[in-house]
Amino acid sequence: MNNPKIISVVGARPNFIKMKPIINSIKKNKINNILVHTGQHYDQNMSEIFFKELMLPKPDYFMGIGSGTHTYQTAEIMINFENICDNYSPDLVIVAGDVNSTLACALVSAKKNIPVAHIESGLRSFDRTMPEEINRIITDSISEILFVTEKSGVQNLIKEGIDRSKIHFVGNTMIDSLINYIDQAKKRKPWLNYGLTPKNYCLVTMHRPSNVDDEIKMISIIRLINQLSDKIKIIFPIHPRTAKLMKQCSECLSENVISTSPLSYLDFLGLMSSSRFVLTDSGGIQEESTYLEVQCVTLRENTERPITITEGTNHLAGTNTKNVLKIIDNILTGKNKKGSIPEKWDGKAGDRIVKIISEFL
Ligand code: UD1
C-alpha cells in the first residue's frame, strides 16, 4: 500500500500509557498517523498531565465527550469517530485496552470496513458484569490484528474462534512505558512529598464499579483501609468516581490515611516502586507491580491477567475483609511472593506491534 494512514485512539488514563510506545515506533517508521482523543477522561490530572509527562503529541482531534452513561459515551464517540474516519480515510485504526472509547471506535471502524488493530487483546475475567469484559469480547471479535500481552490471551481468543493468524503475542506496551520512565519516576522521590519512607507504606487505589458504586461495599472497603492504617502508613490517590461515591457515604477515611487527588504517571510509578505493597482493584497496576516485584493485593474476585498470579507478585484477595487482612498480615511478616517477569515484558512490545502493522499495511 502506498502511503498508508493510521488513526490511533486514546480516551482514558490507561490508554495514554499503553499507546505512547506505539506512537513512538510509528514515528520512527515514518508512517502517517493521527491521534484521536475521545475525551472520556478530561481532567488535568486524569488526562493533561499524562500528555505532558509522557510527551505525547497534541491530539489531532479532541472529541470532548466527557462523562455519562455507557450508552451515552459509546454512542457519542461513535458519531464523532465516524466523521473523523470520513474526513481522514484511514487504512487502519489502532485501539487499546477495554474502555468505552476502545469499543466505540472499533465498532465504527469495523462497520466501515476499516481494519482494527487491538492492543491488549484476549484478556478475560469471565465476569460479564464488568463493563470492561463486554468491551474486550466485542472489540476482539471485530478486530483484524489482535496483539496479546500474555499467553492466556492467545488461548482465550482461540477458544472464541478467532483465526490463529490474526493473533500476535507481542508483550506489553504498558511495561514498555514503565521501563522507559521508571528511572525518571524514582528520581523524583515522590514519597518525600507525603512524609513517607521507602518500603514503609502501602499504596491504595480503588475505582471498579463493583467495589465503589455500591455503598455497602464502599463502607466495608473504607473500614478495611482504616483498619490497615493502624498497621502501616497508607497513601490513597482517589479516582473521581470513588471520590464522588465517598462523599455520599456514611463512613469516612481515618485521619491516618493520606488521601490525594489522582496522581501523575511519574509520581504514581515512583510511589508504587518504593511501596511495601499495593492494595488495588486496577488491572494495569497488577501488571506494573509484577514487573516492579512489589507485592500486590488485588481486591477483586477475579483477574483477567492470570500471569500476574502464576508468575508475578499478585495476590487475588477477593473482597472479604478477614481474608484480605490475613494476606496483608502475611506480607507484613515477610511472607512475600517471589515473582518473575513474564515473557516478552521487555520494553520492545511497541516495536513488535508496529513491525506487524507495517507488514499488514
Ligand atoms: C474508565 C474505564 C476503566 C478504567 C478507568 C481508568 C470504562 C468502561 N471504564 O473507568 O476500565 O480502568 O477508566 O481510570 O471505560 N471523571 C472525572 N474526570 C475525568 C474522568 C472521569 O471527574 O477526567 C469522573 C466522572 O464523574 C465520571 C467518573 O469519573 O462519571 C467515571 O468516569 P468514566 O469515564 O465513566 O469511567 P472510569 O470509572 O474512569
Side-chain angles (χ1 to χ4, degrees), residues 11-15 39-47 66-70 73 98-102 130-132 135-136 207-209 212-213 239-242 244 281-284:
R13 195 167 57 170
N15 293 162
Q40 179 176 343
H41 286 173
Y42 46 88
D43 279 355
Q44 151 76 21
N45 52 10
M46 296 292 285
S47 172
S67 304
T69 65
H70 290 268
Q73 273 183 339
D98 55 16
V99 303
N100 289 339
S101 304
T102 312
M130 288 176 77
E132 293 84 359
N135 293 345
R136 290 181 199 119
H207 76 276
R208 290 272 153 225
V212 305
D213 282 6
H239 186 285
R241 171 192 281 283
T242 312
K244 217 195 281 176
D281 61 4
S282 149

Side-chain angles (χ1 to χ4, degrees), residues 43 206-207 212-213 218 222 236-249 251 253 259-262:
D43 279 355
M206 215 54 62
H207 76 276
V212 305
D213 282 6
M218 184 85 250
I222 293 174
F236 183 10
I238 306 184
H239 186 285
R241 171 192 281 283
T242 312
K244 217 195 281 176
L245 271 295
M246 274 173 96
K247 269 195 207 127
Q248 301 158 10
C249 199
E251 199 79 17
L253 278 177
S259 60
T260 71
S261 41

Side-chain angles (χ1 to χ4, degrees), residues 1 4 10 18 34 60 76 78 93 99 130 149-150 165 199 223 227 291-292 299 301-302 317 349 353:
M1 196 181 288
V10 293
K18 288 170 196 166
I34 63 166
D60 299 279
E76 277 292 306
M78 284 181 75
V93 168
V99 303
M130 288 176 77
T149 52
E150 62 166 278
S165 64
K199 298 295 164 196
R223 287 188 183 146
Q227 260 176 283
Y291 187 88
L292 294 168
L299 215 61
E301 303 295 343
N302 54 51
I353 287 168

Side-chain angles (χ1 to χ4, degrees), residues 109-144:
S109 312
K111 293 252 182 183
K112 296 175 91 62
N113 291 323
I114 303 163
V116 177
H118 184 207
I119 312 301
E120 202 187 79
S121 281
L123 297 180
R124 296 290 181 270
S125 64
F126 303 101
D127 174 2
R128 292 199 182 193
T129 64
M130 288 176 77
E132 293 84 359
E133 183 76 351
I134 307 289
N135 293 345
R136 290 181 199 119
I137 293 169
I138 300 176
T139 303
D140 283 339
S141 71
I142 55 179
S143 292
E144 276 306 305

Side-chain angles (χ1 to χ4, degrees), residues 77 82-83 90 96 131 140 142 146 181 237 242 248 265 280 287 292 332 350 361:
I77 295 169
E82 178 161 59
N83 286 332
D140 283 339
I142 55 179
L146 297 95
Y181 288 93
T242 312
Q248 301 158 10
Y265 181 55
T280 189
E287 298 183 333
L292 294 168
L332 290 175
L361 292 169

